[in-house]
Structures are given as structure tokens and as C-alpha cells.
Amino acid sequence: MNLSVKIGTLTLQNPVTVASGTFGYGVEYSQLINLNQLGAVVVKGIRLGPVRGNPTPRTVEVTSGLINAIGLQGPGVDGFIRKYWPFLKALKVPTIINIWGTTVEEYAEVARRFDALGGVGALELNVSCPNIKEGGAQFGTDVRLLSQVVGACRKVTKLPLITKLSPNVVSIAPYAKAAEAAGSDALSIMNSFPAMAIDIETRRPRLANVTGGLTGPCIKPIAIKLVWEAAKAVRIPIIGMGGIQSTADAIEFLMAGATAVAVGTANFYEPQTALQVIAGLRQFMQQNRIKDLRELIGSVQTRK
Amino acid sequence: MVEQTVQIVSNEREADLYFRLVVRAPGIAPLVQPGQFAHVRILPLREALLRRPFSIFQVSGSTLSILYKTIGKGTEVLSRMRPGEELSMIGPLGHGFTVPPPSGETPLLVAGGYGMAALYLLAQRSPQKGIVFVGGRRRVDILCEEEFRALGWEVRVTTEDGSYGEKGLLTEALLTELKRRTPGRKLFACGPSPMLKAVGRLAAEFDLQAELSLDEHMGCGIGVCLACVVPIKAGDSWEYRRTCTEGPVFDSRQVAWEAAK
């Protein structure tokens, strides 16, 4: 039985990864799960320098979901390399590093730094975080800027580039095509949805940042549709994500056209989810006599 | 840190909105240090996804107990669960209180309401017995007083409505005691933020060390989501630190209360 898939030149032993920002830098989960069973570890978004992040409250739980406005708090490139890279480097599975910046030049510089580091599995370009004033989603909701960011990073590295798209666009196809044309090896679909919640007693927003990004099982059907649309528009592989908490959820993404998947918010409440999905995929393939996971990819039948 | 399925031994109403939950958690209970917490997934909650953090109150062999107040949907659903039912628990988590060394400082514990629960293990494991200051709005908010007395500690109770103990604020009773300026004391506090701030101010005024257990909205409980951060001094500036990992207990002099507003 073959579960391995390719993201550009990177081979994953199975298609189950974790979503950036829901898995810290891997080490935090190492006491609870065997990280070497994952398809890849994907770390929280890193820009050149340290980032303090947004004031609290930063999260609010909503029906079947979570709204967050963390603000990409992080140690910056040097802090990450010093504190977390020695651990990640020693893992048997690849590390995908999620990067961002406030200018095209900063994206390229961060990409160059991680290219020079050696041993990185792939870079994921975060052009879609809804919770920061500059950078993030401004690059992911403008086709021209998106092409520039991907193109600038492409110039400085041969590492596989994965562009993480924003769901907050009228149609995802032109963005998917633009990233592909600018040299992206794969797409991550998708980041969180801009969202808001209000405390009706105080009439105050639930988040200090007022708005945030919605994640969790409540967004899954929307993500499935975006993956399906993007898969029809491009030839490069897609990593599908949005509310996965079971094997069935992951299979839906694969059938919609994703080559790999990422478990996100579920890591917060059930750290075993990704490993359970991997075991569940094997079982599903066995029961359905599927020898190669690739038989599932894009296998949804939309014609009657 | 261990994740395990734990079985409810008992889950009884203590008083008013307060409940006492006892679970069999052989992988977690023996590891617990004072001031640490457990992150609990209440499976019947279904569409409320996140785990709920609770201070660990008492530990006995393979069981541990939690004292909680029904304040929302999570704790309400929990309060209806019966012995034999199961919860998923990750614990023990967080950086707790420093147990004073033998012939070290005498602890003064300051507990707002069910903040008492987070301080019990410290009282039990401290070589020196001190004084517990416990305050609440009404008599019914004063919990586990007898359990502290049973450890040989002095308990001073204040209620805001005067229905039990001394009338007034907990910090007023603490101030009265601190004015005696008995040397070799250290403060340990758990309760609502305004109370913790006031304890921090008193500690500064009387030049005492104080360890405060802080509370902030929590997501994952193990340090990845960065939801539960509080502003902590770093060099001549400050940075956000996680209550689930670097905390919940911080030295009061390290907390940058004014920073993040």
C-alpha cells in the first residue's frame, strides 16, 4: 500500500501534515505524539525579526469553530534557528517552514535565509494571514502582488515553494494560476476566514483585535469547495486544509483534488488527530482495496 | 505531560454553583506539582471544541480532584456528568508555585473564591505552615476552609457582604497582617485579576516576594496556539509569555500589568 505523495521535489511518507500556527515548532507536541509518523511538520509563520503579536483576548470559541487573532507572534529567523531548528533538523520527517514579511523584499530575504540554512523540506509562503496590519493577506488578495512575492522567492531558492492562499477572494482560480505561473510548486488551501464575535452584555467585540480568522470544523465545506475549484485550475499539487478532525474529512479533501492535507485547529483540542487520520487512511484504503493513495486524489465524480 | 482518558469517580455539588470532581488519572496524578493544571476535553460538548483548563486541587494516589464553578456551557455540561463516564485529560501542565525549602519563608496564601483550589497542594507540601487569606462575595463563595485547617494552617476569612468572617476585601485583611512586618514571609496568590494586581502592589510596598497564578483565555494548553499570553518584563521592555507554559505562576515583579493596554 502506498501512501506517499510528492509536493514538488519533496516526498512525504504520507499525505497528512499539520497547519501552520496550530503546531508551534513541533517540539511542543513531541511528548504527546510521535512526530516521525507525520507526513511533515509545518511550523508557525516566521518573518525576519521577532514579532510581539496582538493584545488579548486573542481567541474566542464559536459554534464548531474558533476565531483567532494571535498576530503571528514569533521569534524571527535567528530566534527560530537558535531555539527550534536543532530539534526539527533531527526529525526523520521534513519540516516545512511558513514564512511571511511586510514587503516583497522581506519575503525573499527570509526565503534566502532558510535556503542557506540547509535541510529545510519546503517553504510555505503565508500571503493570507488576516490578523496583521501590514503583510499577509494584502499579498494574497492582489494577483499582481502575489506574483511578485512568489517570483521573488523563486529567484532565491530551489526549495519547494508552497503558496498558502487566502479564501477571502471572489474566485480562487486566478490566484492559484498566478502562484503557479510565478513558480510555486504547490498550493496550501486555505487560510482562515475573516470573522468577528460580539459579547452582547458588554457590546464589545470578543477579540481585542476586533476581528480575527475563523477556523475549525465549521469552515470545512467552504474549504472543500475552494480546493475543488483550485484543483481544476492548476496542475501543481494542493495541500487541503480547513476543519479536518477525522479520516473522512481528510478523504473528502483528497477526493476534491488535494494531494495532501493538513490538520489544523483539531491539534488544539485533540493532539492525536493527525496520527488517527493516518491510521484511518490506511484502513479506508484496505477496506476499499486501494493500493495507491493517488487513486483517491481528485476522484470526486461531479457528472451524473 | 501525559494525555489520557480518565474515569470520573465522583462529581458532586459542593455548594451553590461549585462542584468537586474526582477522576482516576494514574498517569497524571503522581506527577502533579502545586499550582499546575489539567486540560480537560468534555466530549459531550461536541460543537464547543476546546479543552477547559482546571487547577488541580488535591491528589491522592492515582486520583486527582478539581474544584470548579459552573460559569459557562463547558462547566455546566461537566457538572451533569456521572461517575463512570470518561473525560480526556492532558496534564499536569504549566509552571506552578515554588514550594518553600525547609526553614525557608513562611507562606501567606491569598485566595479569591475557588482560587483556594490552586493553593491547596502548596499548603500541603510546604514544610512551614502559614496563614491562608480567603475572600469571596458571600459566605457560599468560601470553599474548602476546613481542609486547610485540617493541614494545621490558620485560615482568615473575609466576605464582601459580611455574611461570614470579617466584612471587607481580602486584601484589607492581608494589609492588616503585613503591617505587623513579621520577617521571612512570601505571598502566593490565585484569584481574579484585580485581586492579583492588588496583591502585587502590596508585595512591592512591603518588599515581599509574591507568586501569582494568572488567568487568560486558553486554547491548546501546551504552548502552541499563543492565545493565553500575558505581558512579562524582559530587559527594559516586555514580551508576551504563555500562561500555559511559562505560567500560570509568575513572580509579581515580572508582570508588566500596564504594558498591554
Side-chain angles (χ1 to χ4, degrees):
Chain A
M1 194 190 297
N2 178 40
L3 273 83
S4 73
V5 293
K6 287 193 88 172
I7 300 295
T9 54
L10 180 68
T11 301
L12 308 183
Q13 62 178 349
N14 66 63
V16 183
T17 71
V18 289
S20 176
T22 68
F23 211 69
Y25 306 96
V27 62
E28 298 90 340
Y29 277 104
S30 60
Q31 286 186 56
L32 296 178
I33 69 167
N34 181 357
L35 301 178
N36 284 323
Q37 290 181 10
L38 295 170
V41 170
V42 184
V43 301
K44 187 165 174 69
I46 299 164
R47 70 173 291 189
L48 210 47
V51 180
R52 184 179 264 164
N54 290 330
T56 57
R58 288 174 164 188
T59 56
V60 55
E61 188 181 57
V62 294
T63 305
S64 293
L66 180 70
I67 311 178
N68 84 83
I70 306 299
L72 290 172
Q73 179 177 335
V77 173
D78 290 327
F80 167 80
I81 292 171
R82 195 175 56 242
K83 260 183 101 172
Y84 300 109
W85 184 241
F87 173 84
L88 289 164
K89 190 171 63 175
L91 291 179
K92 292 194 190 92
V93 296
T95 297
I96 297 175
I97 299 190
N98 182 290
I99 66 170
W100 69 285
T102 58
T103 62
V104 173
E105 293 72 26
E106 185 178 358
Y107 274 96
E109 177 59 12
V110 178
R112 197 192 59 74
R113 292 287 310 275
F114 283 118
D115 182 83
L117 185 60
V120 171
L123 297 178
E124 182 178 62
L125 307 180
N126 181 358
V127 291
S128 42
C129 178
N131 298 325
I132 42 175
K133 286 196 190 75
E134 285 179 280
Q138 77 179 86
F139 294 99
T141 52
D142 179 323
V143 170
R144 198 178 51 87
L145 279 175
L146 175 66
S147 302
Q148 283 178 20
V149 167
V150 177
C153 293
R154 180 74 291 164
K155 268 192 204 138
V156 298
T157 182
K158 287 201 165 61
L159 287 173
L161 284 182
I162 305 161
T163 306
K164 186 165 184 176
L165 296 178
S166 168
N168 200 28
V169 292
V170 176
S171 165
I172 201 155
Y175 295 89
K177 284 178 177 163
E180 181 180 45
S184 193
D185 299 294
L187 303 172
S188 279
I189 296 177
M190 42 170 253
N191 211 312
S192 59
F193 280 89
M196 182 173 174
I198 297 166
D199 181 334
I200 62 165
E201 301 301 327
T202 62
R203 303 190 183 198
R204 301 283 306 158
R206 295 271 190 188
L207 297 173
N209 193 53
V210 183
T211 62
L214 180 63
T215 65
C218 63
I219 67 168
K220 194 195 73 180
I222 314 177
I224 296 283
K225 183 240 185 200
L226 289 171
V227 166
W228 178 68
E229 283 178 342
K232 289 188 294 181
V234 297
R235 303 176 73 101
I236 52 176
I238 292 167
I239 305 174
M241 63 198 74
I244 296 176
Q245 58 175 356
S246 68
T247 303
D249 294 339
I251 293 171
E252 261 192 85
F253 274 95
L254 296 172
M255 288 183 174
T259 296
V261 296
V263 173
T265 303
N267 292 315
F268 294 159
Y269 53 91
E270 187 39 79
Q272 310 297 329
T273 304
L275 299 191
Q276 287 165 355
V277 169
I278 295 164
L281 278 176
R282 281 184 209 285
Q283 202 182 4
F284 181 86
M285 287 169 66
Q286 211 157 28
Q287 279 164 358
N288 293 277
R289 298 203 173 80
I290 297 166
K291 289 205 177 66
D292 194 315
L293 182 111
R294 285 173 291 188
E295 291 172 39
L296 289 172
I297 298 170
S299 64
V300 61
Q301 302 295 319
T302 51
R303 292 208 191 114
K304 286 190 181 159
Chain B
M1 173 198 318
V2 174
E3 177 177 7
Q4 72 172 178
T5 301
V6 302
Q7 198 175 50
I8 297 176
V9 175
S10 64
N11 187 26
E12 300 288 325
R13 188 184 294 272
E14 181 96 355
D16 196 40
L17 300 176
Y18 300 99
F19 287 76
R20 184 185 297 229
L21 169 74
V22 182
V23 299
R24 192 166 306 285
I28 298 170
L31 306 175
V32 178
Q33 298 297 315
Q36 288 191 302
F37 69 94
H39 214 26
V40 180
R41 187 161 184 219
I42 303 160
L43 291 158
L45 265 180
R46 307 193 68 86
E47 68 275 0
L49 302 171
L50 297 177
R51 288 170 183 265
R52 268 56 180 165
F54 297 97
S55 291
I56 296 166
F57 171 40
Q58 292 175 327
V59 176
S60 173
S62 64
T63 66
L64 62 85
S65 67
I66 283 165
L67 204 55
Y68 65 96
K69 185 179 185 181
T70 51
I71 50 164
K73 56 192 167 194
T75 43
E76 258 148 43
V77 169
L78 179 60
S79 72
R80 288 196 290 274
M81 292 183 74
R82 305 283 30 118
E85 290 190 86
E86 290 178 337
L87 298 162
S88 167
M89 183 176 278
I90 301 177
L93 295 170
H95 169 88
F97 294 110
T98 316
V99 179
S103 67
E105 313 92 344
T106 302
L108 300 184
L109 311 187
V110 192
Y114 60 120
M116 282 287 260
L119 293 160
Y120 180 84
L121 283 178
L122 177 64
Q124 191 181 39
R125 295 184 190 179
S126 169
Q128 288 76 239
K129 296 186 201 326
I131 308 170
V132 191
F133 295 85
V134 53
R137 281 183 43 224
R138 308 156 300 159
R139 178 175 192 138
V140 70
D141 298 313
I142 307 302
L143 305 164
C144 51
E145 180 193 346
E146 284 317 309
E147 265 132 330
F148 279 84
R149 288 198 204 281
L151 294 174
W153 283 59
E154 182 184 344
V155 182
R156 295 197 195 159
V157 179
T158 51
T159 52
E160 288 170 43
D161 68 357
S163 54
Y164 187 53
E166 216 172 302
K167 185 177 189 320
L169 287 174
L170 167 69
T171 41
E172 291 160 4
L174 177 64
L175 174 63
T176 308
E177 178 59 34
L178 294 180
K179 280 181 175 162
R180 298 160 59 103
R181 297 193 184 267
T182 310
R185 288 174 154 182
K186 181 173 169 180
L187 304 176
F188 299 86
C190 183
S193 293
M195 183 209 100
L196 295 177
K197 270 191 212 181
V199 172
R201 274 196 303 271
L202 287 175
E205 189 183 329
F206 289 89
D207 197 24
L208 293 172
Q209 218 189 329
E211 293 189 6
L212 311 176
S213 180
L214 303 185
D215 192 19
E216 185 53 72
H217 281 68
M218 204 172 273
C220 68
I222 64 167
V224 304
C225 76
L226 307 181
C228 66
V229 296
V230 289
I232 298 296
K233 291 172 188 163
D236 50 9
S237 180
W238 60 274
E239 60 188 24
Y240 281 118
R241 294 272 178 109
R242 303 163 291 189
T243 53
C244 71
T245 308
E246 286 86 19
V249 176
F250 292 94
D251 186 298
S252 67
R253 289 165 299 192
Q254 297 304 310
V255 183
W257 294 108
E258 64 298 336
K261 291 299 151 208

